[in-house]
Amino acid sequence: MQALPGFRDFFPEECARRNYIFARWREVARRYGFVEYDGPVLEPIDLYRKKSGGELVGQLFEFIDKGERHVALRPEMTPTLARMVAARARDFRKPIKWFSIAQFFRYEKQQRGRLREFYQLNADIFGDDSPGADAEMISLAIDMLRSFGFTAEDFVVRVSDRRAWNSFLAENRIETEAAGEFLQVIDKLDPNDSAATEQKLAAFGVSAAKLNEFLNTANQTWFEPLRHELDLRGLAKFTEFDLRIVRGLAYYTGLVFEIFDRSGKLRALAGGGRYDNLIEHLSDGATSISALGFAMGDVVLGELLTEHTTASESMEKWIRAQNEIDIYIVIAKEDRRADALRLGQQLRDAGWRVDYPLGAAKVGKQFQSAGHLNARVAVVVGEEWPDVNVKALATGEQRPIAHAEVTSHLATLLQP
Ligand code: HAM
């Protein structure tokens, strides 16, 4: 029996990489003063039908539950988060700055960088509609990637605005009902296939020339305050203005952005934008609060990490440190096992990472195990009990230590 297509087994190696990604995400989100939340994995399907829109709705893992409810596994966090904020917006000081790390499910076509199960970091700000908030969001996304060791040579944030597209739609008399569909088409245009582009645009009464003129000459003044804010932080070099970014989701109202690897080989690393009307829609007008955010996925990021020498070295170093143990207890005389177990328990209670052989084993084998586990110290329990021998495994230096001194001696040896 194999895992379903697009679903992953996380053996310890993959789990360690996942934890590394989560640790960086969490650390940087907290550096920016964001607090963590979570929501349900399963939601009423209408939440997505009404709020996500676009192709996402066709990708839902959906079923009827035993109570005859039509439900779906969450394909994204934003509708859940909007519902949560709509319900209790008044209870929180503004701006609300929240993040979460959660698993999502989309019945996607199998392709590189896209699975049917993946994790996202979501970070969102509510109650601030200034360019300062836009810049804060983009800075957070940039700093997350920088924390892995990536630089402006590795990735780029492509920034655009739905309002520019709204004026294009109005100028070209594209009805509001067709707007979503039109933006989906723009989102999926293949720059190398001009015949297909012409054909797709013609359905909306737009020519490729008209579209190109708009892409090349659109007014960029709205981008200036944002760019200035990023400049102050020294982060403007990570961004590019690019109207071709429209985003597939229905709820965006202003700024939208996506992050790509510079080589252009991979799918988007992250995407987000402003959705100032979603909460009002969800609460039937009861609560109105501006909102913006983004999500970064673990799959494409994981691919970029493995390809990047310094970033993957930092990751491997972190993983080694996570898996290392502090102390291996070598039981040199099997009839001292009871004493060794008591000592092991005492050392674990003191907070050290401790391991020992679960059954009788030759001393040489035990030292080998200590080596495999990257233990820093071996404590040898044998003839001399209640005294022990303590060996620093990096230097090979070994000393007999009186029982009463064991903990303080280890504390000195194991200083970080
Ligand atoms: P999204 O662009 O659909 O946005 O997803 C954001 C990121 O999630 C993508 O850039 C990608 O890294 C990852 N991702 C999406 N689908 C898959 C997949 N099938 N396999 C692997 N990774 C995937 C949203 O989800 C919005 N809710 C983001 C947002 C938050 N907007 C405002 N706040």
Side-chain angles (χ1 to χ4, degrees), residues 75-78 106 108 113-118 120 122-124 247 249 251-252 258 268-273 275 292-297 299-300:
E76 60 157 339
M77 192 57 116
T78 313
R106 296 185 191 178
E108 289 245 18
R114 287 290 178 269
L115 298 174
R116 289 181 177 168
E117 145 282 310
F118 56 96
Q120 276 184 351
N122 273 262
D124 294 82
R247 307 275 299 134
L249 294 156
Y251 44 68
Y252 293 111
E258 283 190 3
L269 285 152
Y275 49 104
L292 91 152
F294 74 93
M296 184 178 287
V299 179
V300 179

Side-chain angles (χ1 to χ4, degrees), residues 327-333 336 340 343 363 366-367 377-391 393 398-401 406:
I327 301 162
Y328 194 88
I329 300 185
V330 173
I331 306 177
K333 255 179 107 318
R336 285 282 167 221
L343 176 64
V363 170
Q366 295 187 49
F367 272 104
V377 166
V379 173
V380 186
V381 174
E383 293 288 357
E384 302 79 9
W385 184 263
D387 298 341
V388 296
N389 274 304
V390 173
K391 184 171 181 179
L393 292 168
Q398 181 167 325
R399 279 178 55 191
I401 303 291
V406 172

Side-chain angles (χ1 to χ4, degrees), residues 6 8 25 37 52 55-56 59 75-79 81 104-109 111-126 137 247-249 251-252 257-260 267-275 278 291-301:
R8 294 169 288 181
W25 280 348
Y37 71 95
S52 299
E55 64 179 342
L56 243 188
Q59 296 173 336
E76 60 157 339
M77 192 57 116
T78 313
L81 175 61
F104 298 91
F105 306 88
R106 296 185 191 178
Y107 202 91
E108 289 245 18
K109 223 171 38 218
Q111 52 188 309
R112 188 169 181 207
R114 287 290 178 269
L115 298 174
R116 289 181 177 168
E117 145 282 310
F118 56 96
Y119 289 86
Q120 276 184 351
L121 167 281
N122 273 262
D124 294 82
I125 300 181
F126 299 90
M137 210 74 249
R247 307 275 299 134
L249 294 156
Y251 44 68
Y252 293 111
F257 63 95
E258 283 190 3
I259 309 185
F260 292 92
R267 303 283 307 259
L269 285 152
R274 263 203 181 276
Y275 49 104
L278 184 58
L292 91 152
F294 74 93
M296 184 178 287
D298 69 319
V299 179
V300 179
L301 178 60

Side-chain angles (χ1 to χ4, degrees), residues 138 155-161 222-223 238-247 255-264 270-272:
I138 292 178
F155 71 92
V156 58
V157 187
R158 297 197 199 285
V159 183
S160 170
D161 199 301
W222 63 269
F223 187 44
F238 288 90
T239 60
E240 271 171 20
F241 173 82
D242 184 351
L243 276 178
R244 276 167 306 179
I245 301 298
V246 295
R247 307 275 299 134
L255 166 85
V256 283
F257 63 95
E258 283 190 3
I259 309 185
F260 292 92
D261 69 299
R262 281 273 185 200
S263 75

